[in-house]
Each structure stands twice: as structure tokens, then as C-alpha cells.
Amino acid sequence: MLESSFVDRHIKVLFPLPAVVFVALMMVFPVFYTFTISFTNWNLTSGLPPRFVGFKTYLSILQEPRFWAALGRTFYFTAFAVTVETILGMIWALILNREFLGKNLVKMSLLLPMVSTPVAIGIAWTLFYEPTIGLANWVLRSAGLNPLKWIADKQLVIPSLVIVDIWQWTPMMALIMLAGLAGLSVEPYESAKVDGANGIQIFWRITLPMVSPVILTAVVLRSIDALKTYDIIYAMTNGGPGFSSETLNIYAYNLSFNYFRLGHASVVLFFLFVVVLILSYLVARLRQKLEE
């Protein structure tokens, strides 16, 4: 009876407790630990324990041109990929929102890139971009064009990686937007057709404003994931050629496991965490204003 009464009195706490503990162990603790390490000069090659140095590690990272270059590449990759994925995702969603033969098969096929193993995708696309036997250059040669170096060219490596990201994650954007389109009311469309509005006017005046909160949700989810992209870049280029595709995640990895500067790597990762938080907050505020 005592145990039963205890459970009844604390049921609101006991039921979510496992989830709270899991989040605390898997998310809150790593962030707090990384933040703590960022104030040390921990370097495994020295053989010395971490020593608190305050903001010296932050100042050291901020003075490194390689950090700012990696930050710029991270934003470039994210903005390029998410913009194209949003546009293509909206087009796919509008197509899939109509009835046609094989619609369910097309929707199921869209899931294949998302469920594929990232490293396997990286290996497959590396072979696709291979300069001599790759399918990409075979297509260019067949069209009478000069072959490209793709991921071996400093100017082309980021766009080449963006193409892979677009191929993998545009379906997710399309499915999220399709869910938003499916939930729209039909009354505004019927009124617009009675008033003589054409398809383009209906899209810009009715569909886009009504589905914009869903689009923003898809954009923020994809942007957060794109900012943290690591596996595809590591599998295909490892940040190369040189440092031409080194984003913040790859830079932090190199600092940690190639140079063993764990304190500096923690600073980079904490900067990335702050960038994700700021982006999420700005998009949330924008969505709130649109809904108002």
C-alpha cells in the first residue's frame, strides 16, 4: 500500500524520469563536459593533466585563420545545400500532392537515400566522381565536355559535396512539406478558383503563406543537421584537398585525433553548438512572427 501510494503521488515525476535521465546523460553531460574542457589547454602529447587557462584557448582559436576558413565553409555548405533542398523539396511535394499512377512507389523510393549508410553513400559517390572511370566524367565526355576533377579540385569540392547532400536529404524536405500540404484546408483554393486565380497566383498567395511554418520547420531541422555534417565529408575527402572541404566538425576532429589538442577542439565544438542554438532561436522567432 505504501509503495502504491508513493507511485500515485509521484506518477508525474516517475513516468518521464527515464527519458530525463537519458537526455541528461547523452546530451546535457557531453555539452557541459565539452564546455568545461574548452577552458583548459589539454594536449595529449604533453602527457600532463588538463590545466585551467580561462579564455586563452578561445583567443588562440579565434586567431587561427584555419578556424575562420572552416567556419566560412560550414556556412557555405549549409546555405548552399539547404537552399537547393528547400526549393527542390517544395517542387517534389507539389508533384506528390497530386494523384498519379505509381505515387506510392515514388514516395517509397524517396526514402532510400535517407536510410542508406552515410559511409556507403560517400564511397559510392567517390567512385561516381572518380576522374578516369567515374560515371560523372563519362557523362561529360559523352556530351563533348571536358572532364572535371570534382572532389580533387579546391574550387569544386564543396559544390560536389553539396550535390551528394542534396541527393540524400531533398526527399526528407519533400516529405515534410508534403505532410504540410496534405493538411491544408480546401476552402481557400475553391474560393480562389471561383475568383479566377491561376495556378501561380494560388501558389504564391495561398499555398506558400499557409505552408510557410512547415517549410521553416523543415529548414531549421535540415540546417542544424547540415551544420553538423561530418560522415559524408570525412568518407569522401577527409577535409581535402588540403583544407578545401574542412568544415568545423572536420576541423574539430583533426584537432582532437590528429593533433591531440582536446582543449582547442572543445572550443571549436562549443562554437558550433552556439551557432546551432542561435540559428534555431532566429528561425523560431521568424516562425512565430509569420504565425502571428
Side-chain angles (χ1 to χ4, degrees):
M1 290 295 293
L2 291 177
E3 292 181 0
S4 177
S5 61
F6 176 82
V7 172
D8 291 338
R9 284 186 284 108
H10 300 87
I11 192 170
K12 293 182 179 180
V13 176
L14 293 176
F15 269 87
L17 185 61
V20 172
V21 172
F22 177 82
V23 171
L25 291 176
M26 302 302 295
M27 297 180 65
V28 177
F29 174 74
V31 171
F32 178 76
Y33 184 72
T34 301
F35 180 65
T36 303
I37 295 300
S38 68
F39 290 101
T40 70
N41 64 344
W42 194 7
N43 190 325
L44 294 181
T45 58
S46 67
L48 300 174
R51 183 171 62 88
F52 179 79
V53 293
F55 286 97
K56 288 184 179 179
T57 312
Y58 282 82
L59 295 175
S60 176
I61 285 293
L62 291 175
Q63 292 172 0
E64 290 192 19
R66 189 171 165 185
F67 165 76
W68 292 107
L71 181 64
R73 291 187 205 101
T74 302
F75 282 121
Y76 173 42
F77 176 88
T78 301
F80 194 172
V82 174
T83 299
V84 178
E85 288 164 7
T86 303
I87 296 172
L88 294 180
M90 191 71 235
I91 294 173
W92 268 108
L94 291 171
I95 295 173
L96 292 174
N97 199 39
R98 301 173 178 269
E99 292 298 329
F100 58 88
L101 183 63
K103 175 181 176 179
N104 292 331
L105 181 62
V106 173
K107 289 170 65 176
M108 184 176 65
S109 65
L110 289 177
L111 298 174
L112 296 179
M114 296 191 306
V115 300
S116 301
T117 305
V119 175
I121 292 174
I123 294 173
W125 276 87
T126 300
L127 294 174
F128 180 80
Y129 284 141
E130 213 282 328
T132 55
I133 62 172
L135 183 60
N137 279 343
W138 178 83
V139 172
L140 292 178
R141 292 190 189 97
S142 300
L145 301 174
N146 294 325
L148 300 175
K149 293 182 180 180
W150 299 104
I151 57 176
D153 189 312
K154 292 183 178 181
Q155 302 300 323
L156 292 178
V157 62
I158 293 294
S160 300
L161 292 170
V162 167
I163 292 174
V164 181
D165 196 80
I166 291 170
W167 174 84
Q168 184 179 13
W169 294 112
T170 296
M172 185 197 78
M173 301 288 281
L175 293 176
I176 293 176
M177 295 176 191
L178 178 61
L181 290 174
L184 297 181
S185 175
V186 297
E187 284 80 5
Y189 293 95
E190 294 174 350
S191 301
K193 290 178 180 178
V194 171
D195 293 336
N198 58 38
I200 297 177
Q201 290 173 328
I202 290 175
F203 172 76
W204 286 105
R205 300 288 184 178
I206 299 176
T207 303
L208 193 58
M210 292 177 65
V211 82
S212 58
V214 177
I215 295 176
L216 281 176
T217 300
V219 167
V220 69
L221 290 175
R222 185 67 205 107
S223 298
I224 291 172
D225 198 40
L227 285 169
K228 300 184 298 180
T229 299
Y230 167 80
D231 38 25
I232 290 293
I233 299 176
Y234 181 80
M236 294 184 66
T237 66
N238 195 19
F243 303 126
S244 299
S245 62
E246 186 181 66
T247 57
L248 285 181
N249 261 335
I250 301 295
Y251 181 43
Y253 174 87
N254 289 329
L255 286 175
S256 298
F257 300 104
N258 290 337
Y259 311 139
F260 305 107
R261 296 162 59 189
L262 298 185
H264 291 77
S266 297
V267 173
V268 175
L269 292 175
F270 187 71
F271 264 111
L272 181 60
F273 175 73
V274 171
V275 167
V276 171
L277 279 183
I278 293 174
L279 175 65
S280 303
Y281 173 77
L282 292 177
V283 174
R285 292 287 298 174
L286 178 59
R287 176 175 177 176
Q288 183 180 2
K289 290 184 178 181
L290 287 175
E291 289 178 345
E292 291 175 353

